[in-house]
């Protein structure tokens, strides 16, 4: 089959329609606005290519001006999709692109009209693709592997259109939009079909990768407090525990709410959930950099720290205990005070496992509760002999 303009346009129609339907199907599952913009962009390309076929019937205004206008609109939708994907903001001046395109109608008919049309069309598309690529650039942490691929595909697409714009400005270049004549137009039709496939695959891969990462993050988090769950803690703890040494002591704090059942019984489980969220936010506020915090289940939480000391742990535990007692007493009146019991272990040798460390913390927490609750019980295992301390 010869790659003549009509054939290439027909192929582009099929590819763009398939890409639009596929991205729309993805959007129905995940409801990401970027997918909807990208799907609309490919649908616009589909319609634009169909209108371009009308040139062979002599309908030039629709076949050239409207068709190329839809091509600009499609790339505008691609840009908006990237804006939503990156959660960026777009300067309103970008809407002037359509003002420029409408101004093309004011150009008088002349032999150079096709060149000007191609020059403006290519420049606008190149500008939008460069902007989209710039928004996808890595900053700190890359948005995703798929986003990096999409960035370079859009950059390459923009460079191609920039080359078209430059070539269109070269004197003596044959360009006839009405008859699809000129090497620039022939090459552009081939590049367009290839670009449709690459852009569609990159867009789908970008959203799918980000969706998988989001699911992965959700699986690692407690749904109520957004702290790590126990499984996620077990995955991340070994790296922290490996750094423990005589000069960089580690610590584990087990935190349990005293008389938590009273809140649920008197005010309902929704109130109890609010109290758990309050505690989780307090834990985040006092959590040192590089430390880990998780909800083990129910009203039991854990903090895992490195490069610390007994004095720091006691101070941290008492700060947390005092803040929580104040917040709980103001929010809920109960027969018995709603407070925190904390069992802390400080160590200078990596433990056999996180589970063994938690078992030691459980025993210390039990001592804290047995000693009257609303207290911090600390066991310092960084010396040859065990030292136990309870406050207040």
């Amino acid at each position: 089959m010869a790659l003549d303009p009509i054939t290439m346009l027909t192929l582009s129609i099929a590819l763009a329609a398939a890409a639009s339907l596929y991205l729309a199907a993805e959007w129905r599952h995940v409801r990401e606005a970027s997918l909807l913009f990208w799907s609309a962009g490919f649908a616009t390309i589909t319609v634009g290519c169909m209108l371009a076929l009308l040139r062979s019937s002599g309908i030039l205004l629709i076949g050239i001006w409207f068709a190329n206008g839809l091509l600009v609109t499609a790339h505008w939708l691609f840009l908006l999709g990237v804006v939503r994907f990156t959660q960026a903001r777009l300067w309103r001046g970008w809407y002037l692109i359509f003002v420029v395109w409408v101004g093309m109608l004011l150009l008088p008919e002349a032999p150079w009209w096709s060149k000007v049309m191609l020059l403006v069309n290519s420049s606008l598309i190149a500008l939008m693709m460069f902007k989209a690529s710039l928004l996808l650039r890595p900053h700190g942490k890359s948005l995703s592997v798929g986003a990096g691929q999409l960035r370079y595909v859009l950059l390459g697409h923009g460079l191609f259109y920039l080359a078209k714009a430059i070539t269109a400005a070269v004197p003596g270049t044959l360009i006839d939009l009405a008859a699809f004549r000129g090497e620039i137009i022939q090459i552009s039709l081939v590049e367009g079909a290839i670009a449709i496939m690459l852009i569609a695959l990159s867009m789908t891969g970008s959203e799918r990768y980000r969706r998988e990462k989001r699911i992965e993050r959700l699986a690692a988090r407690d749904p109520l407090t957004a702290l790590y769950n126990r499984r996620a803690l077990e995955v991340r703890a070994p790296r922290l525990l490996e750094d423990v040494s005589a000069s960089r002591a580690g610590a584990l704090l087990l935190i349990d709410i005293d008389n938590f059942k009273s809140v649920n019984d008197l005010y309902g489980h929704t109130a109890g959930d609010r109290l758990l969220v309050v505690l989780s936010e307090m834990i985040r506020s006092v959590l040192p950099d590089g430390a880990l915090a998780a909800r083990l289940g129910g009203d039991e939480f854990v903090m895992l720290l490195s490069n610390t000391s007994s004095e720091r742990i006691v101070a941290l535990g008492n700060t947390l205990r005092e803040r929580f007692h104040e917040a709980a007493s103001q929010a809920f009146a109960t027969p018995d005070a709603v407070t925190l019991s904390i069992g802390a272990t400080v160590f200078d040798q990596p433990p056999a496992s996180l589970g063994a460390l938690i078992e030691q913390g459980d025993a210390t927490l039990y001592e804290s509760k047995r000693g009257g609750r609303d207290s911090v019980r600390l066991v310092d295992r960084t010396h040859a002999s065990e030292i136990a301390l309870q406050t207040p």
Side-chain angles (χ1 to χ4, degrees), residues 119-288:
L119 174 63
V120 174
N121 174 275
S122 300
S123 298
L124 293 177
I125 291 175
L127 186 62
M128 288 186 287
M129 293 301 93
F130 289 152
K131 178 61 177 178
S133 178
L134 187 64
L135 290 174
L136 288 165
R137 74 191 187 281
H139 45 90
K141 290 167 63 176
S142 179
L143 290 171
S144 73
V145 173
Q149 180 184 2
L150 178 59
R151 178 197 175 199
Y152 288 109
V153 170
L154 295 180
L155 178 61
H157 192 52
L159 288 172
F160 176 81
Y161 271 89
L162 178 62
K164 278 177 62 177
I166 294 173
T167 307
V170 175
T173 307
L174 174 62
I175 299 173
D176 186 347
L177 293 178
F180 295 109
R181 293 174 60 198
E183 291 185 1
I184 300 175
I185 299 174
Q186 301 286 342
I187 295 173
S188 181
L189 290 170
V190 175
E191 189 274 343
I194 297 173
I196 287 172
M197 291 187 292
L198 292 178
I199 293 174
L201 290 173
S202 300
M203 288 173 172
T204 305
S206 299
E207 278 293 357
R208 185 170 295 169
Y209 182 90
R210 191 166 69 171
R211 184 167 73 249
E212 290 172 355
K213 286 296 180 182
R214 186 183 297 118
I215 293 172
E216 184 179 317
R217 287 195 300 271
L218 291 174
R221 298 285 178 175
D222 171 63
L224 176 64
T225 64
L227 292 176
Y228 286 128
N229 54 32
R230 179 159 186 162
R231 181 179 178 183
L233 181 67
E234 290 172 347
V235 171
R236 290 161 176 78
R239 181 176 299 178
L240 185 148
L241 295 175
E242 287 172 1
D243 291 336
V244 172
S245 64
S247 60
R248 293 174 58 86
L252 179 136
L253 290 81
L254 275 184
I255 305 163
D256 188 82
I257 302 178
D258 304 318
N259 303 311
F260 179 65
K261 187 174 182 297
S262 299
V263 176
N264 284 331
D265 291 344
L266 292 173
Y267 298 95
H269 288 279
T270 301
D273 288 346
R274 289 204 309 271
L275 193 59
L276 293 174
V277 171
V278 167
L279 177 54
S280 69
E281 291 173 349
M282 290 183 180
I283 289 174
R284 283 194 192 89
S285 70
V286 300
L287 192 68

Side-chain angles (χ1 to χ4, degrees), residues 72-110:
V72 171
T73 303
H75 287 82
W76 169 255
L77 290 169
F78 290 162
L79 175 58
L80 289 184
V82 171
V83 169
R84 293 303 298 266
F85 180 82
T86 58
Q87 298 181 343
R89 299 185 68 179
L90 198 63
W91 179 50
R92 291 182 179 179
W94 282 91
Y95 288 91
L96 292 174
I97 284 175
F98 295 103
V99 176
V100 173
W101 187 253
V102 172
M104 294 295 296
L105 278 176
L106 303 177
L107 292 176
E109 292 187 15

